[in-house]
Amino acid sequence: MPTPPVPSYVVTAAVVAAAVACYRFAVSPAVRALARHPTPLATGAAVAVIAPLALRPSPLPEQLRWFVVSVIALLTWRGATSDYDVTLPIGPQRRDKLLLLFLAVASCLWAPFLLAWIAVFCGRLRGWQHHAMMPVRLLKAYLAWFLVTAVLAPPPPDSTAGLVLVLGCVSLSHYVKPAWSKARLGPRPWSWAWHNRTHYLMASAYSWGWARFLPSGKVSQLLRRARVVDRPINILTMVVEAAGLVAFLDSRLLIAILVTTALFNLTVALASGILFWENIAANIGLATALGFLPETGYDTAFGWPAALVALTVILLSTADLLWQPWHLGWWDAPFTARVHWQVETVSGAARGLYNDYMCPYEREFGRVEGYFLTDEPVLHGHLGIVWDRRLRDLLVQAGRDRDQLHTLKQTYGRTHRDEERSAEHVAFLTAMFTRLNAGARKSPLPRWLRRLKAPGGQLYRWGDLPAYCGEEPVRRITIRYEERCYLPETGDFVLLDDRVVREIDLSTPMTDLEDNTTCARSSSTAAPTSESC
């Protein structure tokens, strides 16, 4: 694709600047306000304000129109098929899912409805969670571009080029930000790439509950092979994440980088059980749409002037001035402490209560939810991650030595014990299983369609016990605190601690169920923040 003269880029740069400003100062505040207070009057008024702009013809090419439709469909699938929170009235939740479906169809036909769709998805259906935020931001960027081009009416080629730049920047900023975070972890920008032991992440994911259907001996063999390529994998990771800084030099380069990020996310899922399926689908969709665009007509989206515009936008987002991608930079450690949930059924069978069954809170129950139930100091975040390389090395050195681990926990650990949250959590679980035992419906899908439910993002669905799938009523819930460690020298997985921190007997009647379940939700649901929306 030939590079146009520099003055040809001016209008495209103006479209990009206006679109990201509209995103930051108009669309995002509107989404936050409507998600926090999703009243029909406020939502209708917001849609009515921008409705006149939809009367103007849109310069959106068909290829990008279908991309926007596919992202709406993708996220609607997730929001509409997620399980009900059975501690709340089912009727309003069903209506919210039907409203999401209606607004999805309306948004595909008439762009102003997209504002209401985003507000319902983010607010009522918990769509602000980490894994869905990049596709949501793509839709917000499209809506901002739609409003700007309706007001300014730039020439169609410059308008299309501006949209390509904005959508590409939104996507790739979610990878550049983690690369920047990793570069800041050590004394030198390459410290993480040279010194991180990424195979520890695989080991911790196995301890956490990923791929536990594999025998530990087989996993140890895989880890011994994986540790040999830690540094090449780390370097390749940072190259892929940072590639967005030069993606707009050429259209084929941008398409290749989008496909590579999707393959990168797939590799992360296989290695760690962290599945960014929304990002994978969105990036593949965007790459496909760009591949089908005509070779001419949006030339100012590429070349060194466009790359400078994109670099500016990506760096501003990395500094949290436009949108706020997560940092995702840490040191991997082989030690994990986690809270686990188990149930005892009425027949006496013991089953593991894994995060997939806890949908719509599968993310919370798949990560670090439950530390507030124990007095034990916690050293790390999700999957054993730490932010201090020295602590990582001390954990490796300690191995299975309980005295050294105790010293480390007292020195570096943090106690999360919270009696109020613990009471709310117990009330939530009690209400949930009491109602499920009584026959409450958990899934919005009929039984014969439940395989069509959208996948989750935390694949920790295995453990020491078979999974509970709702096959019979539950009479007892047991919450346990466990510590596990992978020993790099021998390849062994060691259970260091396993104790009960709370038991919930469902045969005991619970009073004031409604009041307790209202507050129980606070540990799992919260209003969207400016960072997420």
Side-chain angles (χ1 to χ4, degrees), residues 281-301:
N283 283 351
I284 290 294
L286 182 56
T288 302
L290 295 177
F292 280 104
L293 281 175
E295 293 186 3
T296 59
Y298 63 107
D299 298 359
T300 52

PDB file of all heavy atoms in Angstrom, residues 281-301:
ATOM      1  N   ALA A 281     -11.480 -13.852  19.945  1.00  0.00           N
ATOM      2  CA  ALA A 281     -12.506 -13.701  18.911  1.00  0.00           C
ATOM      3  C   ALA A 281     -12.519 -12.294  18.338  1.00  0.00           C
ATOM      4  O   ALA A 281     -12.649 -12.108  17.116  1.00  0.00           O
ATOM      5  CB  ALA A 281     -13.880 -14.053  19.493  1.00  0.00           C
ATOM      6  N   ALA A 282     -12.375 -11.273  19.193  1.00  0.00           N
ATOM      7  CA  ALA A 282     -12.407  -9.891  18.714  1.00  0.00           C
ATOM      8  C   ALA A 282     -11.220  -9.593  17.805  1.00  0.00           C
ATOM      9  O   ALA A 282     -11.373  -8.954  16.749  1.00  0.00           O
ATOM     10  CB  ALA A 282     -12.425  -8.928  19.895  1.00  0.00           C
ATOM     11  N   ASN A 283     -10.023 -10.046  18.175  1.00  0.00           N
ATOM     12  CA  ASN A 283      -8.853  -9.763  17.348  1.00  0.00           C
ATOM     13  C   ASN A 283      -8.890 -10.513  16.021  1.00  0.00           C
ATOM     14  O   ASN A 283      -8.501  -9.978  14.981  1.00  0.00           O
ATOM     15  CB  ASN A 283      -7.573 -10.094  18.109  1.00  0.00           C
ATOM     16  CG  ASN A 283      -7.221  -9.026  19.129  1.00  0.00           C
ATOM     17  OD1 ASN A 283      -7.830  -7.966  19.157  1.00  0.00           O
ATOM     18  ND2 ASN A 283      -6.247  -9.298  19.971  1.00  0.00           N
ATOM     19  N   ILE A 284      -9.360 -11.758  16.046  1.00  0.00           N
ATOM     20  CA  ILE A 284      -9.508 -12.500  14.798  1.00  0.00           C
ATOM     21  C   ILE A 284     -10.563 -11.825  13.923  1.00  0.00           C
ATOM     22  O   ILE A 284     -10.399 -11.694  12.696  1.00  0.00           O
ATOM     23  CB  ILE A 284      -9.893 -13.961  15.073  1.00  0.00           C
ATOM     24  CG1 ILE A 284      -8.707 -14.712  15.700  1.00  0.00           C
ATOM     25  CG2 ILE A 284     -10.340 -14.662  13.793  1.00  0.00           C
ATOM     26  CD1 ILE A 284      -7.516 -14.860  14.777  1.00  0.00           C
ATOM     27  N   GLY A 285     -11.658 -11.361  14.532  1.00  0.00           N
ATOM     28  CA  GLY A 285     -12.699 -10.670  13.774  1.00  0.00           C
ATOM     29  C   GLY A 285     -12.195  -9.378  13.149  1.00  0.00           C
ATOM     30  O   GLY A 285     -12.499  -9.083  11.987  1.00  0.00           O
ATOM     31  N   LEU A 286     -11.414  -8.608  13.929  1.00  0.00           N
ATOM     32  CA  LEU A 286     -10.888  -7.349  13.399  1.00  0.00           C
ATOM     33  C   LEU A 286      -9.891  -7.611  12.280  1.00  0.00           C
ATOM     34  O   LEU A 286      -9.908  -6.927  11.245  1.00  0.00           O
ATOM     35  CB  LEU A 286     -10.232  -6.546  14.525  1.00  0.00           C
ATOM     36  CG  LEU A 286      -9.677  -5.170  14.140  1.00  0.00           C
ATOM     37  CD1 LEU A 286     -10.756  -4.293  13.508  1.00  0.00           C
ATOM     38  CD2 LEU A 286      -9.079  -4.473  15.363  1.00  0.00           C
ATOM     39  N   ALA A 287      -9.030  -8.611  12.453  1.00  0.00           N
ATOM     40  CA  ALA A 287      -8.075  -8.951  11.405  1.00  0.00           C
ATOM     41  C   ALA A 287      -8.795  -9.384  10.132  1.00  0.00           C
ATOM     42  O   ALA A 287      -8.394  -9.015   9.013  1.00  0.00           O
ATOM     43  CB  ALA A 287      -7.130 -10.053  11.891  1.00  0.00           C
ATOM     44  N   THR A 288      -9.853 -10.168  10.284  1.00  0.00           N
ATOM     45  CA  THR A 288     -10.622 -10.620   9.125  1.00  0.00           C
ATOM     46  C   THR A 288     -11.281  -9.444   8.407  1.00  0.00           C
ATOM     47  O   THR A 288     -11.251  -9.349   7.172  1.00  0.00           O
ATOM     48  CB  THR A 288     -11.689 -11.635   9.564  1.00  0.00           C
ATOM     49  OG1 THR A 288     -11.053 -12.733  10.221  1.00  0.00           O
ATOM     50  CG2 THR A 288     -12.474 -12.153   8.365  1.00  0.00           C
ATOM     51  N   ALA A 289     -11.891  -8.535   9.190  1.00  0.00           N
ATOM     52  CA  ALA A 289     -12.538  -7.369   8.585  1.00  0.00           C
ATOM     53  C   ALA A 289     -11.527  -6.515   7.822  1.00  0.00           C
ATOM     54  O   ALA A 289     -11.800  -6.060   6.706  1.00  0.00           O
ATOM     55  CB  ALA A 289     -13.226  -6.536   9.663  1.00  0.00           C
ATOM     56  N   LEU A 290     -10.358  -6.301   8.399  1.00  0.00           N
ATOM     57  CA  LEU A 290      -9.336  -5.504   7.719  1.00  0.00           C
ATOM     58  C   LEU A 290      -8.836  -6.208   6.462  1.00  0.00           C
ATOM     59  O   LEU A 290      -8.522  -5.563   5.456  1.00  0.00           O
ATOM     60  CB  LEU A 290      -8.166  -5.243   8.665  1.00  0.00           C
ATOM     61  CG  LEU A 290      -8.482  -4.372   9.893  1.00  0.00           C
ATOM     62  CD1 LEU A 290      -7.260  -4.259  10.783  1.00  0.00           C
ATOM     63  CD2 LEU A 290      -8.963  -2.996   9.472  1.00  0.00           C
ATOM     64  N   GLY A 291      -8.761  -7.543   6.525  1.00  0.00           N
ATOM     65  CA  GLY A 291      -8.310  -8.284   5.363  1.00  0.00           C
ATOM     66  C   GLY A 291      -9.258  -8.187   4.184  1.00  0.00           C
ATOM     67  O   GLY A 291      -8.834  -8.293   3.015  1.00  0.00           O
ATOM     68  N   PHE A 292     -10.546  -7.977   4.451  1.00  0.00           N
ATOM     69  CA  PHE A 292     -11.539  -7.891   3.389  1.00  0.00           C
ATOM     70  C   PHE A 292     -11.817  -6.452   2.942  1.00  0.00           C
ATOM     71  O   PHE A 292     -12.583  -6.251   2.003  1.00  0.00           O
ATOM     72  CB  PHE A 292     -12.844  -8.565   3.822  1.00  0.00           C
ATOM     73  CG  PHE A 292     -12.811 -10.062   3.702  1.00  0.00           C
ATOM     74  CD1 PHE A 292     -12.658 -10.859   4.828  1.00  0.00           C
ATOM     75  CD2 PHE A 292     -12.922 -10.667   2.464  1.00  0.00           C
ATOM     76  CE1 PHE A 292     -12.622 -12.241   4.725  1.00  0.00           C
ATOM     77  CE2 PHE A 292     -12.888 -12.047   2.342  1.00  0.00           C
ATOM     78  CZ  PHE A 292     -12.723 -12.840   3.477  1.00  0.00           C
ATOM     79  N   LEU A 293     -11.232  -5.477   3.624  1.00  0.00           N
ATOM     80  CA  LEU A 293     -11.397  -4.101   3.152  1.00  0.00           C
ATOM     81  C   LEU A 293     -10.722  -3.929   1.793  1.00  0.00           C
ATOM     82  O   LEU A 293      -9.719  -4.592   1.507  1.00  0.00           O
ATOM     83  CB  LEU A 293     -10.775  -3.122   4.153  1.00  0.00           C
ATOM     84  CG  LEU A 293     -11.581  -2.780   5.408  1.00  0.00           C
ATOM     85  CD1 LEU A 293     -10.751  -1.904   6.331  1.00  0.00           C
ATOM     86  CD2 LEU A 293     -12.886  -2.084   5.054  1.00  0.00           C
ATOM     87  N   PRO A 294     -11.237  -3.061   0.947  1.00  0.00           N
ATOM     88  CA  PRO A 294     -10.568  -2.820  -0.340  1.00  0.00           C
ATOM     89  C   PRO A 294      -9.161  -2.284  -0.126  1.00  0.00           C
ATOM     90  O   PRO A 294      -8.851  -1.673   0.897  1.00  0.00           O
ATOM     91  CB  PRO A 294     -11.477  -1.789  -1.020  1.00  0.00           C
ATOM     92  CG  PRO A 294     -12.265  -1.172   0.081  1.00  0.00           C
ATOM     93  CD  PRO A 294     -12.446  -2.238   1.109  1.00  0.00           C
ATOM     94  N   GLU A 295      -8.301  -2.522  -1.084  1.00  0.00           N
ATOM     95  CA  GLU A 295      -6.897  -2.148  -0.939  1.00  0.00           C
ATOM     96  C   GLU A 295      -6.693  -0.635  -0.892  1.00  0.00           C
ATOM     97  O   GLU A 295      -5.681  -0.152  -0.385  1.00  0.00           O
ATOM     98  CB  GLU A 295      -6.081  -2.746  -2.086  1.00  0.00           C
ATOM     99  CG  GLU A 295      -6.015  -4.268  -2.036  1.00  0.00           C
ATOM    100  CD  GLU A 295      -5.085  -4.817  -3.101  1.00  0.00           C
ATOM    101  OE1 GLU A 295      -4.458  -4.008  -3.821  1.00  0.00           O
ATOM    102  OE2 GLU A 295      -4.978  -6.053  -3.201  1.00  0.00           O
ATOM    103  N   THR A 296      -7.616   0.106  -1.441  1.00  0.00           N
ATOM    104  CA  THR A 296      -7.513   1.567  -1.414  1.00  0.00           C
ATOM    105  C   THR A 296      -8.749   2.144  -0.743  1.00  0.00           C
ATOM    106  O   THR A 296      -9.780   1.479  -0.616  1.00  0.00           O
ATOM    107  CB  THR A 296      -7.407   2.133  -2.837  1.00  0.00           C
ATOM    108  OG1 THR A 296      -8.565   1.734  -3.588  1.00  0.00           O
ATOM    109  CG2 THR A 296      -6.154   1.617  -3.525  1.00  0.00           C
ATOM    110  N   GLY A 297      -8.637   3.395  -0.296  1.00  0.00           N
ATOM    111  CA  GLY A 297      -9.780   4.068   0.314  1.00  0.00           C
ATOM    112  C   GLY A 297      -9.579   4.380   1.779  1.00  0.00           C
ATOM    113  O   GLY A 297     -10.361   5.124   2.357  1.00  0.00           O
ATOM    114  N   TYR A 298      -8.556   3.780   2.397  1.00  0.00           N
ATOM    115  CA  TYR A 298      -8.266   4.089   3.799  1.00  0.00           C
ATOM    116  C   TYR A 298      -6.748   4.121   3.986  1.00  0.00           C
ATOM    117  O   TYR A 298      -6.224   3.737   5.030  1.00  0.00           O
ATOM    118  CB  TYR A 298      -8.939   3.078   4.740  1.00  0.00           C
ATOM    119  CG  TYR A 298      -8.466   1.650   4.580  1.00  0.00           C
ATOM    120  CD1 TYR A 298      -7.656   1.065   5.545  1.00  0.00           C
ATOM    121  CD2 TYR A 298      -8.819   0.887   3.479  1.00  0.00           C
ATOM    122  CE1 TYR A 298      -7.206  -0.233   5.404  1.00  0.00           C
ATOM    123  CE2 TYR A 298      -8.390  -0.405   3.331  1.00  0.00           C
ATOM    124  CZ  TYR A 298      -7.580  -0.966   4.294  1.00  0.00           C
ATOM    125  OH  TYR A 298      -7.133  -2.260   4.152  1.00  0.00           O
ATOM    126  N   ASP A 299      -6.045   4.605   2.972  1.00  0.00           N
ATOM    127  CA  ASP A 299      -4.576   4.576   2.965  1.00  0.00           C
ATOM    128  C   ASP A 299      -3.958   5.326   4.135  1.00  0.00           C
ATOM    129  O   ASP A 299      -2.875   4.967   4.609  1.00  0.00           O
ATOM    130  CB  ASP A 299      -4.053   5.172   1.653  1.00  0.00           C
ATOM    131  CG  ASP A 299      -4.505   4.376   0.430  1.00  0.00           C
ATOM    132  OD1 ASP A 299      -5.197   3.366   0.637  1.00  0.00           O
ATOM    133  OD2 ASP A 299      -4.175   4.773  -0.695  1.00  0.00           O
ATOM    134  N   THR A 300      -4.621   6.361   4.632  1.00  0.00           N
ATOM    135  CA  THR A 300      -4.020   7.164   5.703  1.00  0.00           C
ATOM    136  C   THR A 300      -4.077   6.480   7.068  1.00  0.00           C
ATOM    137  O   THR A 300      -3.660   7.065   8.065  1.00  0.00           O
ATOM    138  CB  THR A 300      -4.720   8.536   5.789  1.00  0.00           C
ATOM    139  OG1 THR A 300      -6.131   8.344   5.872  1.00  0.00           O
ATOM    140  CG2 THR A 300      -4.394   9.381   4.571  1.00  0.00           C
ATOM    141  N   ALA A 301      -4.564   5.246   7.106  1.00  0.00           N
ATOM    142  CA  ALA A 301      -4.500   4.478   8.352  1.00  0.00           C
ATOM    143  C   ALA A 301      -3.129   3.849   8.549  1.00  0.00           C
ATOM    144  O   ALA A 301      -2.854   3.316   9.634  1.00  0.00           O
ATOM    145  CB  ALA A 301      -5.574   3.389   8.362  1.00  0.00           C
TER     146      ALA A 301
END
